């Protein structure tokens, strides 16, 4: 199965002035490292790793969990004069705004001096997301992938066979349409694809069809390529009619609709697994690989035509932290082989360590 790193965005369009200097995040005192994240589902596992680090470092760790939008508002406000966490997550969609701006701590010297960190041990595509002009500004925290989760109870109710991993996008669309047709009276839809479900849905379809969102050197859009247009036309004609109305999807997330029994199947990122497995009716849920794109005249699919977009977060540190050495030490604890193994075992998320 093909995998592509999520590294989209034109450099010129992503430029951001980050003038100003925020205050250090050590509001709890010089022996406290403040950590910013946006996913409460990962907090308990990360806190466990941080607590072990605290026992040997002498520093306490204070996590601040914000929702996605508030998180990035906090960072932008922080670099303009507000409080900044010492250590925080960086995302590929926003990395270009901060790398090379003086906001993120240059990690090269720390990496060189730390036997626990070897950049060859991480997925190259994710490492590249947080590297600019040879400078590492974040260490890969994890990696993710996309699959399809489906509700067996819905399939059983409407007499539809469960999907298997040799299915195609055409079969995906057919099943979604059948669920929508049979579930109309119950308000049940086959699948869900809002504009924002890009990495976890339509990006994968575009690349499976041979298109691209942006070219390899990230200098031009690929949205006008014939293969991309073909994929998007298929999405519009065959998949969106099996989705809830756009205004419904704009106001209600896919997790909420799926967990409410209103969606038969959804493309979902590995980071959503804790949401689903915390549900009371988790026994009704099953996973299957993303479909192939069947574009051959003989109806046969080739393995390379299945594509899953992968991404990974990075652990970064604020360049103005009062405790740069401690901030790096905590990042090293999270990103070392031991820390990454614990992260996986604790169910935080999939390891970024190869």
């Amino acid at each position: 199965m093909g995998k592509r790193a999520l590294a989209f965005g034109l450099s010129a369009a992503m430029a951001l002035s980050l003038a100003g200097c925020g205050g250090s995040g050590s509001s709890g005192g010089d022996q406290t490292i403040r950590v910013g994240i946006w996913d409460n589902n990962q907090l308990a596992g990360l806190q466990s790793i941080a607590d072990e680090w605290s026992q040997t470092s002498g520093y306490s760790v204070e996590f601040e969990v914000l929702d996605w939008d508030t998180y990035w508002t906090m960072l932008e406000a922080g670099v303009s004069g507000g409080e900044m966490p010492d250590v925080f997550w960086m995302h590929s969609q926003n990395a270009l705004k901060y790398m090379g701006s003086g906001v993120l701590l240059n990690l090269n010297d720390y990496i060189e001096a730390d036997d626990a960190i070897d950049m060859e041990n991480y997925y190259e595509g994710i490492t590249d997301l947080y590297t600019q002009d040879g400078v590492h500004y974040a260490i890969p925290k994890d990696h993710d992938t996309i699959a399809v989760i489906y509700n067996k109870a819905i399939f059983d109710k409407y007499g539809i066979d469960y999907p298997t991993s040799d299915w195609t996008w055409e079969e995906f669309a057919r099943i979604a349409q059948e669920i929508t047709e049979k579930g109309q009276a119950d308000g049940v839809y086959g699948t869900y694809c809002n504009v924002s479900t890009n990495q976890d849905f339509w990006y994968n379809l575009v690349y499976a069809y041979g298109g691209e969102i942006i070219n390899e050197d990230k200098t031009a859009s690929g949205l006008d390529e014939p293969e991309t247009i073909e994929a998007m036309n298929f999405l519009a004609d065959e998949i969106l009619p099996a989705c809830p109305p756009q205004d419904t999807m704009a106001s209600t997330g896919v997790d909420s609709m799926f967990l409410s029994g209103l969606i038969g199947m959804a493309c979902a990122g590995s980071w959503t697994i804790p949401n689903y497995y915390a549900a009371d009716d988790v026994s009704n849920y099953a996973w299957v690989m993303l479909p192939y794109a069947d574009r051959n005249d003989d109806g046969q699919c080739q393995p390379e035509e299945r594509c899953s977009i992968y991404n990974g977060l990075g652990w970064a540190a604020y360049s103005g932290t009062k405790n740069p050495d401690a901030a790096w030490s905590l990042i090293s604890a999270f990103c070392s082989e031991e820390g990454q193994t614990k992260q996986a075992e604790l169910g935080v998320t999939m390891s970024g360590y190869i």
Side-chain angles (χ1 to χ4, degrees), residues 59 140 189 200-201 263 284 291:
Y59 286 82
Y189 296 89
D200 40 341
F201 200 142
I263 298 294
N284 286 332

Side-chain angles (χ1 to χ4, degrees), residues 129-141:
L129 295 174
Y130 306 112
T131 305
Q132 187 175 72
D133 298 329
V135 176
H136 296 287
Y137 290 103
I139 307 298
K141 169 191 171 292

Side-chain angles (χ1 to χ4, degrees), residues 55-104:
Q55 292 174 8
T56 58
S57 69
Y59 286 82
S60 61
V61 178
E62 178 183 301
F63 283 89
E64 183 175 7
V65 186
L66 303 172
D67 64 77
W68 170 267
D69 291 332
T70 304
Y71 180 89
W72 295 107
T73 299
M74 175 272 294
L75 284 190
E76 292 189 16
V79 299
S80 299
E83 287 289 329
M84 283 285 286
D86 301 286
V87 173
F88 48 93
W89 286 352
M90 187 49 57
H91 191 279
S92 58
Q93 292 181 358
N94 299 77
L96 288 176
K97 295 181 181 180
Y98 295 93
M99 293 191 301
S101 65
V103 173
L104 304 183

Side-chain angles (χ1 to χ4, degrees), residues 49 257 264 266 302:
I49 297 171
M257 296 200 72
Q302 300 301 318

